[in-house]
Amino acid sequence: MPSTRPRVLSGIQPTAGSFHLGNYLGAVRQWVALQESHDAFYMVVDLHAITVPQDPAELRANTRLAAAQLLAAGLDPERCTLFVQSHVPEHAQLAWIMNCLAGFGEASRMTQFKDKSAKQGAGNATVGLFTYPILQVADILLYQANEVPVGEDQRQHIELTRDLADRFNGRFGETFTVPAPYILKETAKIYDLQDPSIKMSKSASTPKGLINLLDDPKTTAKKVKSAVTDTDTVIKYDTENKPGVSNLLSIYSTLTGKTIADLEAEYEGKMYGALKTDLAEVMVEFVTPFRTRTQQYLDDPETLDSLLAKGAEKARAVAAETLAAAYDRVGLLPAKH
Ligand code: TRP
């Protein structure tokens, strides 16, 4: 029976091995919640991962690893559609049509391309990196998604998606749902443990600032205990003056469901050490079963691959229908069967 729930769609790149705490609290946790209220499609975007130089064996391993971690985090193949982007060829096919609709100037304004291409050195970036946002447009439009849960850094790509959907619909007739961004809440923003002025990311200031979910729990506990705090000793949420302690409080709050106010009351008069010791424990309790579940999926690649094959089949049923409509509207001559 077709779902009457609003549809969400999102993707994650298989570029890093382990998810970090920022990925998890900032995005993946919301994905898990949305599968209860929405018709949810989630994918590992391996085609996006090859827009920068990659190692083939690593890409393959990281694609399985990303899927295993999504399942370990609580995505349930019975409640959502989880798949690998390259298993659904319609993504590349619709991307071509969108490439032919997008303006060169419009694509040139994408700030993520500017940032990423600057890192590659002028002139070395691939055409694939340039057209990366257009592939993302295709990802979204193929599923007629109503909402796209992403971080603030993706807002411009969602705007582009809306523009291209409108343009296509205007030129060729109503074909695509125009999606709305669903910008994930700032409260879930997690900062580097060693430099709380920057977002936690895999290009962290030092490895000590980054919590990888698949790290040995002992390493994780150590990182929490050596997190940078502030010069006075009061445990108070104040992002301006006490960014280190505030970051620890928001991680603590998000992982336990306790409010910041409750935590402030609980730690009144206590030292930073007490907060860090308790948070380290909370973190270990969270990462230990996460690691175990991830490992169980990795130990049984056969089952994992079958889950992904089923996901791709479900995704393809939707994608193929949209692509056929788009091909027809554009005027491509159908092949005779
Ligand atoms: N570009 C997104 C990111 O870096 C990943 C992505 C690819 C995506 N396709 C998507 C996100 C479609 C949402 C919808 O985070």
Coordinates of all heavy atoms in Angstrom, one line a residue, residues 18-91:
S18 N 35.0 5.2 10.3 CA 34.0 5.3 11.4 C 33.2 6.6 11.4 O 33.7 7.6 11.0 CB 34.8 5.3 12.8 OG 33.9 5.5 13.8
F19 N 31.9 6.5 11.7 CA 31.2 7.7 11.9 C 31.8 8.3 13.2 O 32.3 7.7 14.0 CB 29.7 7.4 12.3 CG 28.9 6.9 11.1 CD1 27.6 6.5 11.3 CD2 29.4 6.8 9.8 CE1 26.8 6.0 10.2 CE2 28.7 6.4 8.7 CZ 27.3 6.0 8.9
H20 N 31.7 9.7 13.2 CA 32.1 10.3 14.5 C 30.8 10.8 15.2 O 29.7 10.8 14.7 CB 33.1 11.4 14.2 CG 32.7 12.5 13.3 ND1 31.8 13.5 13.7 CD2 33.1 12.8 12.0 CE1 31.6 14.3 12.7 NE2 32.4 13.9 11.7
L21 N 31.1 11.3 16.4 CA 29.9 11.7 17.3 C 29.1 12.8 16.6 O 27.9 12.8 16.8 CB 30.5 12.1 18.6 CG 29.4 12.3 19.7 CD1 28.8 10.9 20.1 CD2 30.0 12.9 21.0
G22 N 29.8 13.7 15.9 CA 29.1 14.8 15.2 C 28.1 14.3 14.1 O 27.0 14.7 14.1
N23 N 28.6 13.3 13.3 CA 27.7 12.7 12.3 C 26.5 12.1 13.0 O 25.3 12.2 12.6 CB 28.3 11.5 11.6 CG 29.5 11.7 10.8 OD1 30.5 10.9 10.9 ND2 29.5 12.8 10.0
Y24 N 26.8 11.3 14.1 CA 25.7 10.6 14.7 C 24.7 11.5 15.3 O 23.5 11.4 15.0 CB 26.3 9.6 15.7 CG 25.2 8.9 16.5 CD1 24.4 7.9 15.9 CD2 24.8 9.3 17.8 CE1 23.3 7.3 16.5 CE2 23.7 8.7 18.4 CZ 23.0 7.8 17.8 OH 21.9 7.2 18.4
L25 N 25.1 12.4 16.2 CA 24.2 13.3 16.9 C 23.6 14.3 16.0 O 22.4 14.7 16.2 CB 24.9 13.9 18.1 CG 25.3 13.0 19.3 CD1 25.9 13.8 20.4 CD2 24.1 12.2 19.8
G26 N 24.3 14.7 15.0 CA 23.9 15.8 14.1 C 22.9 15.3 13.0 O 22.1 16.0 12.6
A27 N 23.1 14.1 12.6 CA 22.3 13.6 11.5 C 21.6 12.2 11.7 O 20.4 12.1 11.7 CB 23.1 13.6 10.2
V28 N 22.5 11.2 11.9 CA 22.0 9.8 11.8 C 20.9 9.6 12.9 O 19.9 8.9 12.6 CB 23.2 8.9 12.0 CG1 22.7 7.4 12.1 CG2 24.2 9.0 10.9
R29 N 21.1 10.2 14.1 CA 20.0 10.0 15.1 C 18.7 10.5 14.6 O 17.6 9.9 14.9 CB 20.5 10.7 16.4 CG 20.2 9.9 17.6 CD 20.9 10.6 18.8 NE 20.2 11.9 19.0 CZ 19.6 12.2 20.2 NH1 19.6 11.3 21.1 NH2 19.0 13.3 20.3
Q30 N 18.7 11.6 13.9 CA 17.4 12.2 13.4 C 16.9 11.3 12.3 O 15.7 11.1 12.2 CB 17.6 13.6 12.9 CG 17.6 14.7 13.9 CD 18.9 14.8 14.7 OE1 19.7 14.0 14.6 NE2 19.0 16.0 15.3
W31 N 17.8 10.7 11.5 CA 17.3 9.8 10.5 C 16.5 8.6 11.1 O 15.5 8.2 10.6 CB 18.4 9.2 9.7 CG 19.2 10.1 8.8 CD1 19.2 11.4 8.8 CD2 20.1 9.7 7.8 NE1 20.0 11.9 7.8 CE2 20.6 10.8 7.2 CE3 20.6 8.4 7.3 CZ2 21.5 10.8 6.1 CZ3 21.5 8.4 6.3 CH2 22.0 9.5 5.7
V32 N 17.1 8.1 12.2 CA 16.4 7.0 12.9 C 15.0 7.4 13.4 O 14.1 6.7 13.2 CB 17.3 6.5 14.1 CG1 16.6 5.4 14.9 CG2 18.7 6.0 13.5
A33 N 15.0 8.6 14.0 CA 13.7 9.1 14.5 C 12.7 9.3 13.3 O 11.5 8.9 13.5 CB 13.8 10.4 15.2
L34 N 13.1 9.8 12.2 CA 12.2 10.1 11.1 C 11.6 8.9 10.5 O 10.5 9.0 9.8 CB 12.9 10.9 10.0 CG 13.2 12.4 10.4 CD1 14.2 13.0 9.4 CD2 11.8 13.1 10.3
Q35 N 12.2 7.7 10.6 CA 11.6 6.5 10.0 C 10.3 6.1 10.7 O 9.5 5.4 10.1 CB 12.6 5.3 10.0 CG 13.0 4.8 11.3 CD 14.0 3.7 11.3 OE1 14.3 3.1 10.3 NE2 14.6 3.4 12.5
E36 N 10.0 6.7 11.9 CA 8.8 6.4 12.6 C 7.6 7.3 12.0 O 6.5 6.9 12.1 CB 8.9 6.6 14.1 CG 10.1 5.9 14.7 CD 10.0 4.4 14.5 OE1 8.9 3.8 14.3 OE2 11.1 3.8 14.5
S37 N 8.0 8.5 11.6 CA 6.9 9.4 11.2 C 6.8 9.6 9.7 O 5.9 10.3 9.2 CB 7.2 10.8 11.9 OG 8.5 11.2 11.6
H38 N 7.9 9.2 8.9 CA 8.0 9.5 7.5 C 8.2 8.2 6.7 O 8.6 7.2 7.2 CB 9.1 10.5 7.3 CG 8.8 11.9 7.7 ND1 8.7 12.2 9.1 CD2 8.7 13.0 7.0 CE1 8.5 13.5 9.2 NE2 8.5 14.0 7.9
D39 N 7.9 8.4 5.4 CA 8.3 7.4 4.4 C 9.8 7.7 4.1 O 10.0 8.6 3.3 CB 7.4 7.5 3.2 CG 7.7 6.4 2.2 OD1 8.3 5.4 2.5 OD2 7.3 6.6 1.0
A40 N 10.7 7.0 4.7 CA 12.1 7.4 4.7 C 13.0 6.6 3.7 O 13.0 5.4 3.7 CB 12.7 7.3 6.1
F41 N 13.8 7.3 2.9 CA 14.8 6.7 2.0 C 16.1 7.3 2.4 O 16.4 8.5 2.4 CB 14.5 7.2 0.5 CG 13.3 6.4 -0.1 CD1 12.0 6.7 0.4 CD2 13.5 5.5 -1.1 CE1 10.9 6.0 -0.2 CE2 12.5 4.8 -1.7 CZ 11.2 5.0 -1.2
Y42 N 17.1 6.3 2.7 CA 18.4 6.7 3.1 C 19.4 6.0 2.2 O 19.2 4.8 2.0 CB 18.7 6.4 4.5 CG 17.7 7.1 5.5 CD1 16.9 6.4 6.4 CD2 17.6 8.5 5.5 CE1 16.1 7.1 7.2 CE2 16.7 9.2 6.3 CZ 16.0 8.4 7.2 OH 15.1 9.1 8.1
M43 N 20.4 6.7 1.8 CA 21.4 6.0 0.9 C 22.8 6.3 1.3 O 23.1 7.4 1.8 CB 21.1 6.3 -0.5 CG 21.3 7.7 -0.8 SD 20.8 8.1 -2.5 CE 20.5 9.8 -2.2
V44 N 23.7 5.4 1.0 CA 25.1 5.6 1.1 C 25.6 6.1 -0.3 O 25.4 5.4 -1.3 CB 25.9 4.3 1.4 CG1 27.4 4.5 1.5 CG2 25.3 3.7 2.8
V45 N 26.0 7.3 -0.4 CA 26.3 7.9 -1.7 C 27.7 7.7 -2.2 O 28.6 8.6 -2.2 CB 25.9 9.4 -1.7 CG1 24.4 9.6 -1.6 CG2 26.6 10.2 -0.6
D46 N 27.9 6.5 -2.7 CA 29.2 6.1 -3.2 C 29.6 6.8 -4.5 O 30.8 7.1 -4.7 CB 29.3 4.6 -3.4 CG 28.2 4.0 -4.2 OD1 27.2 4.6 -4.6 OD2 28.4 2.8 -4.6
L47 N 28.6 7.2 -5.3 CA 29.0 7.9 -6.5 C 29.5 9.3 -6.2 O 30.3 9.9 -6.9 CB 27.7 8.1 -7.5 CG 27.2 6.8 -8.0 CD1 25.9 7.0 -8.8 CD2 28.2 6.1 -8.9
H48 N 29.0 9.9 -5.1 CA 29.5 11.2 -4.7 C 31.0 11.0 -4.1 O 31.8 12.0 -4.2 CB 28.6 11.8 -3.6 CG 27.4 12.5 -4.2 ND1 26.2 12.0 -4.1 CD2 27.3 13.7 -4.8 CE1 25.3 12.8 -4.7 NE2 26.0 13.9 -5.1
A49 N 31.2 9.9 -3.6 CA 32.6 9.7 -3.0 C 33.7 9.6 -4.0 O 34.8 9.8 -3.7 CB 32.6 8.4 -2.1
I50 N 33.4 9.3 -5.3 CA 34.4 9.2 -6.3 C 34.7 10.6 -7.0 O 35.4 10.6 -7.9 CB 34.2 8.1 -7.3 CG1 32.9 8.4 -8.1 CG2 34.1 6.7 -6.6 CD1 32.8 7.4 -9.3
T51 N 34.1 11.6 -6.4 CA 34.4 13.0 -7.0 C 35.7 13.5 -6.6 O 36.2 14.5 -7.1 CB 33.3 14.0 -6.6 OG1 33.2 14.0 -5.2 CG2 31.9 13.6 -7.2
V52 N 36.3 12.8 -5.6 CA 37.7 13.1 -5.2 C 38.5 11.8 -5.2 O 37.9 10.8 -5.3 CB 37.7 13.7 -3.7 CG1 37.1 15.1 -3.7 CG2 37.1 12.8 -2.7
P53 N 39.8 11.9 -5.3 CA 40.6 10.6 -5.5 C 40.2 9.6 -4.4 O 40.1 10.0 -3.2 CB 42.0 11.1 -5.4 CG 42.0 12.6 -5.7 CD 40.7 13.1 -5.3
Q54 N 40.1 8.4 -4.8 CA 39.7 7.4 -3.8 C 40.4 6.1 -4.1 O 40.9 5.8 -5.2 CB 38.2 7.1 -3.8 CG 37.7 6.0 -4.6 CD 37.7 6.2 -6.1 OE1 38.1 7.3 -6.6 NE2 37.3 5.2 -6.8
D55 N 40.5 5.2 -3.1 CA 41.1 3.9 -3.2 C 40.0 2.9 -3.4 O 39.1 2.9 -2.6 CB 42.0 3.6 -2.0 CG 42.5 2.2 -2.0 OD1 43.5 2.0 -2.8 OD2 42.0 1.3 -1.3
P56 N 40.0 2.1 -4.5 CA 38.9 1.2 -4.7 C 38.5 0.3 -3.6 O 37.3 0.1 -3.2 CB 39.3 0.5 -6.0 CG 40.2 1.4 -6.7 CD 41.0 2.1 -5.6
A57 N 39.5 -0.4 -3.1 CA 39.3 -1.4 -2.0 C 38.7 -0.7 -0.8 O 37.8 -1.2 -0.1 CB 40.5 -2.1 -1.6
E58 N 39.2 0.5 -0.5 CA 38.7 1.3 0.6 C 37.3 1.8 0.4 O 36.5 1.7 1.4 CB 39.6 2.5 0.8 CG 40.0 2.8 2.2 CD 41.1 3.9 2.2 OE1 40.8 5.1 2.2 OE2 42.3 3.5 2.2
L59 N 37.0 2.2 -0.8 CA 35.6 2.6 -1.1 C 34.6 1.5 -0.8 O 33.6 1.7 -0.2 CB 35.5 3.2 -2.5 CG 34.1 3.6 -2.9 CD1 33.6 4.7 -2.1 CD2 34.1 4.0 -4.4
R60 N 35.0 0.3 -1.3 CA 34.1 -0.8 -1.2 C 33.9 -1.1 0.3 O 32.8 -1.3 0.7 CB 34.7 -2.0 -1.9 CG 33.8 -3.0 -2.5 CD 34.4 -4.0 -3.4 NE 34.8 -3.4 -4.7 CZ 36.0 -3.4 -5.3 NH1 37.0 -3.9 -4.6 NH2 36.2 -2.9 -6.4
A61 N 35.0 -1.2 1.0 CA 34.9 -1.5 2.5 C 34.1 -0.4 3.2 O 33.3 -0.7 4.0 CB 36.3 -1.6 3.0
N62 N 34.4 0.8 2.9 CA 33.7 1.9 3.6 C 32.2 2.0 3.3 O 31.4 2.5 4.1 CB 34.4 3.3 3.3 CG 35.7 3.4 4.1 OD1 35.9 2.7 5.0 ND2 36.5 4.4 3.6
T63 N 31.8 1.5 2.1 CA 30.4 1.5 1.7 C 29.7 0.5 2.6 O 28.6 0.8 3.2 CB 30.2 1.2 0.2 OG1 30.9 2.2 -0.5 CG2 28.8 1.2 -0.2
R64 N 30.3 -0.7 2.7 CA 29.6 -1.7 3.7 C 29.7 -1.1 5.1 O 28.7 -1.3 5.8 CB 30.4 -3.0 3.6 CG 30.0 -3.9 2.5 CD 30.3 -5.3 2.9 NE 30.0 -6.3 1.8 CZ 31.0 -6.8 1.1 NH1 32.2 -6.6 1.3 NH2 30.7 -7.7 0.1
L65 N 30.8 -0.5 5.4 CA 30.9 0.0 6.8 C 29.9 1.0 7.1 O 29.3 1.0 8.2 CB 32.4 0.5 7.0 CG 32.8 0.9 8.4 CD1 32.6 -0.2 9.4 CD2 34.3 1.3 8.4
A66 N 29.7 1.9 6.2 CA 28.7 3.0 6.4 C 27.3 2.3 6.6 O 26.5 2.7 7.5 CB 28.7 4.0 5.2
A67 N 27.0 1.4 5.7 CA 25.7 0.7 5.8 C 25.5 0.0 7.2 O 24.5 0.1 7.9 CB 25.5 -0.2 4.7
A68 N 26.6 -0.7 7.6 CA 26.6 -1.4 8.9 C 26.3 -0.5 10.0 O 25.6 -0.8 10.9 CB 27.9 -2.2 9.0
Q69 N 27.0 0.7 10.0 CA 26.8 1.6 11.1 C 25.4 2.2 11.1 O 24.9 2.5 12.1 CB 27.9 2.7 11.0 CG 29.3 2.2 11.3 CD 30.3 3.3 11.1 OE1 30.6 4.1 12.0 NE2 30.8 3.5 9.9
L70 N 24.9 2.5 9.9 CA 23.5 3.0 9.9 C 22.5 2.0 10.5 O 21.6 2.4 11.2 CB 23.1 3.3 8.4 CG 23.8 4.5 7.8 CD1 23.5 4.6 6.3 CD2 23.4 5.8 8.5
L71 N 22.7 0.7 10.2 CA 21.9 -0.3 10.8 C 22.1 -0.4 12.3 O 21.2 -0.5 13.1 CB 22.1 -1.7 10.1 CG 21.7 -1.7 8.6 CD1 22.4 -2.9 7.9 CD2 20.2 -1.9 8.5
A72 N 23.4 -0.3 12.7 CA 23.7 -0.4 14.1 C 23.1 0.8 14.8 O 22.7 0.7 16.0 CB 25.2 -0.4 14.3
A73 N 23.0 1.9 14.2 CA 22.5 3.1 14.8 C 21.0 3.0 15.0 O 20.4 3.8 15.7 CB 22.8 4.3 14.0
G74 N 20.3 2.1 14.3 CA 18.9 1.9 14.5 C 18.1 2.0 13.2 O 16.8 1.9 13.3
L75 N 18.7 2.2 12.1 CA 17.8 2.2 10.9 C 17.3 0.8 10.7 O 18.1 -0.2 10.8 CB 18.6 2.6 9.6 CG 18.9 4.1 9.5 CD1 19.5 4.4 8.1 CD2 17.7 5.0 9.8
D76 N 16.1 0.6 10.4 CA 15.4 -0.7 10.3 C 14.9 -0.9 8.9 O 14.0 -0.1 8.5 CB 14.3 -0.7 11.3 CG 13.5 -2.0 11.3 OD1 13.8 -2.8 10.4 OD2 12.6 -2.1 12.1
P77 N 15.4 -1.8 8.2 CA 15.0 -2.0 6.8 C 13.5 -2.3 6.6 O 13.0 -2.2 5.5 CB 15.8 -3.3 6.3 CG 16.9 -3.4 7.3 CD 16.5 -2.8 8.6
E78 N 12.9 -2.6 7.7 CA 11.4 -2.8 7.7 C 10.7 -1.5 7.7 O 9.5 -1.4 7.4 CB 10.9 -3.7 8.9 CG 11.5 -5.1 8.9 CD 11.0 -5.9 7.8 OE1 9.8 -5.9 7.5 OE2 11.8 -6.7 7.2
R79 N 11.4 -0.5 8.3 CA 10.7 0.8 8.5 C 11.2 1.9 7.5 O 10.6 3.0 7.4 CB 11.1 1.3 9.9 CG 10.4 0.6 11.0 CD 10.5 1.4 12.2 NE 9.7 0.9 13.3 CZ 9.9 -0.1 14.0 NH1 11.1 -0.8 13.8 NH2 9.1 -0.5 14.9
C80 N 12.3 1.6 6.8 CA 12.8 2.6 5.9 C 13.4 1.9 4.7 O 13.5 0.7 4.7 CB 13.9 3.5 6.6 SG 15.5 2.7 6.9
T81 N 13.8 2.6 3.7 CA 14.5 2.1 2.5 C 15.9 2.5 2.6 O 16.2 3.7 2.4 CB 13.8 2.5 1.2 OG1 12.4 2.2 1.3 CG2 14.4 1.9 0.0
L82 N 16.8 1.5 2.8 CA 18.2 1.8 2.9 C 19.0 1.2 1.8 O 18.8 0.0 1.5 CB 18.8 1.2 4.3 CG 20.3 1.3 4.5 CD1 20.8 2.7 4.5 CD2 20.7 0.5 5.7
F83 N 19.7 2.0 1.0 CA 20.4 1.4 -0.2 C 21.7 2.1 -0.5 O 22.0 3.2 0.1 CB 19.4 1.4 -1.3 CG 19.0 2.8 -1.8 CD1 19.5 3.4 -2.9 CD2 18.0 3.5 -1.1 CE1 19.2 4.7 -3.3 CE2 17.7 4.8 -1.4 CZ 18.2 5.4 -2.6
V84 N 22.4 1.6 -1.5 CA 23.6 2.2 -2.0 C 23.3 2.8 -3.3 O 22.7 2.2 -4.2 CB 24.7 1.1 -2.2 CG1 25.9 1.6 -2.8 CG2 25.0 0.4 -0.8
Q85 N 23.7 4.1 -3.4 CA 23.3 4.9 -4.6 C 23.7 4.2 -5.9 O 22.9 4.2 -6.8 CB 24.1 6.2 -4.4 CG 23.8 7.3 -5.5 CD 24.8 8.4 -5.3 OE1 25.9 8.2 -4.8 NE2 24.4 9.6 -5.5
S86 N 24.9 3.7 -6.0 CA 25.3 3.1 -7.3 C 24.5 1.8 -7.7 O 24.5 1.4 -8.8 CB 26.8 2.8 -7.3 OG 27.1 1.7 -6.5
H87 N 23.7 1.3 -6.7 CA 22.9 0.1 -7.0 C 21.6 0.5 -7.8 O 20.9 -0.3 -8.3 CB 22.5 -0.6 -5.8 CG 23.6 -1.3 -5.1 ND1 23.5 -1.9 -3.9 CD2 25.0 -1.4 -5.4 CE1 24.7 -2.4 -3.5 NE2 25.6 -2.1 -4.4
V88 N 21.4 1.8 -7.9 CA 20.2 2.3 -8.5 C 20.7 3.2 -9.7 O 21.0 4.4 -9.5 CB 19.3 3.1 -7.6 CG1 18.0 3.6 -8.2 CG2 18.9 2.2 -6.4
P89 N 20.8 2.6 -10.9 CA 21.4 3.3 -12.0 C 20.7 4.6 -12.4 O 21.3 5.5 -13.0 CB 21.4 2.3 -13.1 CG 20.5 1.2 -12.7 CD 20.4 1.2 -11.2
E90 N 19.4 4.7 -12.0 CA 18.6 5.9 -12.4 C 19.3 7.2 -11.8 O 19.0 8.3 -12.4 CB 17.2 5.8 -11.9 CG 16.3 4.8 -12.7 CD 16.6 3.3 -12.4 OE1 17.4 3.0 -11.5 OE2 15.9 2.5 -13.0
H91 N 20.1 7.1 -10.8 CA 20.7 8.3 -10.2 C 21.6 9.0 -11.3 O 21.5 10.2 -11.5 CB 21.5 8.0 -9.0 CG 20.6 7.7 -7.8 ND1 20.4 8.6 -6.8 CD2 19.9 6.6 -7.5 CE1 19.5 8.0 -5.9 NE2 19.3 6.8 -6.4

